[in-house]
Amino acid sequence: MIVVMKQGSTENDIEIVKQKAIQQGHEPLVINGVERSVVAVSGNVNDDHRAVMKLLPNVSNVIPVGKPYKLASKNYKKENTVIRINDLEIGGTGLALIAGPDSAESQEQTIETALAAKEVGSNGLRGGAFKPRTSPYSFQGLGEDGLKMLREAADLTGLPLFSEIMDAQHLSMMEQYVDVLQVGARNMQNFKLLEAVGESSLPVLLKRGMSATIEELLLASEYILARGNENVMLCERGIRTYETATRNTFDINAIPYLKQNSHLPVIADPSHATGDNTLVEPVALAAIAAGADGLLIEIHPRPDEALCDGPQALLPSELKQLIDKAKIVAKAVGRSL
Ligand code: PEP
Ligand code: MN
């Protein structure tokens, strides 16, 4: 951090800042300018250290240097992280296309949807069994029975299964069924859950909270990485803004920003970002052009019968069209699908 002193600050004021930096375990370096002095403080500086500095006499401003996240940052690891799940590689040149229903609703629907996803060219399967619903009166998912259906569908198609974990106590049970643990938008800052999945040997798909900044998403990923789980994917799924025309606002900036500042793979979810099946394809294509490493897309053989998120579900035939176009865009940006 840089501690900027007020004009007219005394040598004693600067000494107090230096001593505080040393007490915090950091190294201070005083730079005397013509009009004012600054103290450059290096070391493992966090928000609390900065907040305390601000309180010292004649300190005008405290400027952070560097990023608050470390393990997730490109400075910590230059090469992109590539996550391997069976035959699927996420974060390399190939793109991940993870498709499936919002939720497992029945064995028939789950298997029919998974077979369709595979048929049109998906390389991953999604599906919820534990659903974080805004209303407690809405369909909550089929729980472990749903996971069994999804596992059967995953085995039948050979596609790796992505499914949401809502409760740290479910971890060992879920590890028996899924290939990737999804942490949903509503749980992005459930720190105990993040720590729990950080102990798992399974990769984690971490969704951005609907009101979370990019920095908060990266700091949430840090909780998982710090526990030793290096296989974290970040997911942009739209954020809340003043716009009401769509379910959420897809933050396209987040994709290149995350790719520039982090080595972790970035997945785009145009389904939750738009909430509208007619907008899923164009937003998906934009995400690939912006540098996403994969897409997470909801499909349903009969969207009008879906128990959750029907309006944003694509028909398998619509997913096929999307994939055909995605291949062209991927090629244009040096990727493949
Ligand atoms: C989902 O993937 O079905 C889901 C609930 O997503 P999100 O956490 O992004 O709302
Ligand atoms: Mn959904």
Side-chain angles (χ1 to χ4, degrees):
M1 65 181 138
I2 306 287
V3 182
V4 184
M5 305 305 295
K6 286 186 184 156
Q7 275 185 7
S9 59
T10 64
E11 276 190 21
N12 189 45
D13 295 333
I14 295 173
E15 190 55 32
I16 292 173
V17 169
K18 273 176 72 181
Q19 288 311 318
K20 179 58 78 181
I22 291 166
Q23 194 194 329
Q24 289 175 339
H26 306 134
E27 265 186 55
L29 174 71
V30 179
I31 303 159
N32 289 310
V34 182
E35 291 195 345
R36 57 173 95 205
S37 302
V38 303
V39 186
V41 178
S42 55
N44 225 344
V45 177
N46 64 32
D47 283 353
D48 297 326
H49 296 138
R50 281 192 287 275
V52 167
M53 282 297 181
K54 197 97 196 258
L55 299 175
L56 299 182
N58 281 323
V59 168
S60 133
N61 198 8
V62 180
I63 305 165
V65 177
K67 309 278 192 215
Y69 47 91
K70 296 182 172 59
L71 304 175
S73 93
K74 265 256 158 92
N75 294 335
Y76 173 76
K77 182 169 175 265
K78 290 268 172 294
E79 328 76 60
N80 285 332
T81 290
V82 178
I83 300 177
R84 293 180 181 83
I85 315 151
N86 308 331
D87 295 339
L88 177 61
E89 271 193 3
I90 305 183
T93 36
L95 297 180
L97 197 302
I98 307 139
D102 167 83
S103 331
E105 299 167 351
S106 68
Q107 193 167 34
E108 298 70 38
Q109 166 261 4
T110 304
I111 289 181
E112 183 183 357
T113 312
L115 287 172
K118 167 89 177 178
E119 161 94 26
V120 299
S122 312
N123 49 25
L125 176 67
R126 62 147 289 142
F130 293 93
K131 295 301 304 172
R133 302 305 301 279
T134 300
S135 165
Y137 308 115
S138 303
F139 174 62
Q140 302 286 308
L142 298 181
E144 191 169 355
D145 287 343
L147 287 178
K148 288 182 181 156
M149 295 168 191
L150 288 160
R151 184 69 253 161
E152 191 184 338
D155 288 341
L156 208 62
T157 53
L159 299 176
L161 174 61
F162 291 58
S163 196
E164 176 162 354
I165 178 165
M166 282 179 57
D167 186 335
Q169 291 185 346
H170 291 164
L171 181 61
S172 54
M173 180 273 292
M174 292 211 47
E175 284 175 329
Q176 296 171 42
Y177 300 103
V178 311
D179 298 296
V180 177
L181 295 159
Q182 176 173 322
V183 174
R186 291 157 191 79
N187 272 314
M188 189 204 82
Q189 285 187 321
N190 179 341
F191 301 115
K192 290 291 159 213
L193 182 62
L194 298 176
E195 285 172 0
V197 300
E199 303 282 347
S200 178
S201 57
L202 292 179
V204 176
L205 177 86
L206 176 64
K207 290 190 138 196
R208 179 178 181 182
M210 55 188 87
S211 304
T213 63
I214 295 174
E215 189 171 292
E216 286 164 342
L217 170 63
L218 286 161
L219 284 168
S221 79
E222 203 80 10
Y223 274 83
I224 306 171
L225 298 166
R227 289 282 163 143
N229 190 340
E230 295 176 352
N231 292 324
V232 180
M233 292 159 254
L234 305 169
C235 180
E236 166 57 39
R237 47 77 72 203
I239 51 174
R240 278 227 171 130
T241 66
Y242 52 78
E243 183 54 73
T244 55
T246 49
R247 183 177 180 183
N248 289 295
T249 296
F250 185 63
D251 181 6
I252 190 94
N253 301 354
I255 294 173
Y257 183 92
L258 288 168
K259 292 301 297 176
Q260 282 170 23
N261 289 281
S262 175
H263 52 88
L264 298 173
V266 177
I267 304 293
D269 174 350
S271 304
H272 294 88
T274 62
D276 178 339
N277 60 10
T278 67
L279 302 178
V280 170
E281 180 188 289
V283 172
L285 299 178
I288 296 175
D293 296 298
L295 299 169
L296 183 71
I297 296 184
E298 290 188 345
I299 61 169
H300 199 289
R302 290 165 297 281
D304 57 329
E305 290 176 16
L307 296 180
C308 179
D309 285 351
Q312 67 196 34
L314 296 187
L315 290 165
S317 57
E318 291 167 334
L319 179 61
K320 165 117 189 24
Q321 285 173 28
L322 183 158
I323 291 176
D324 288 344
K325 292 186 191 170
K327 285 183 175 160
I328 300 167
V329 178
K331 195 163 174 231
V333 292
R335 311 293 291 266
S336 61
L337 178 60

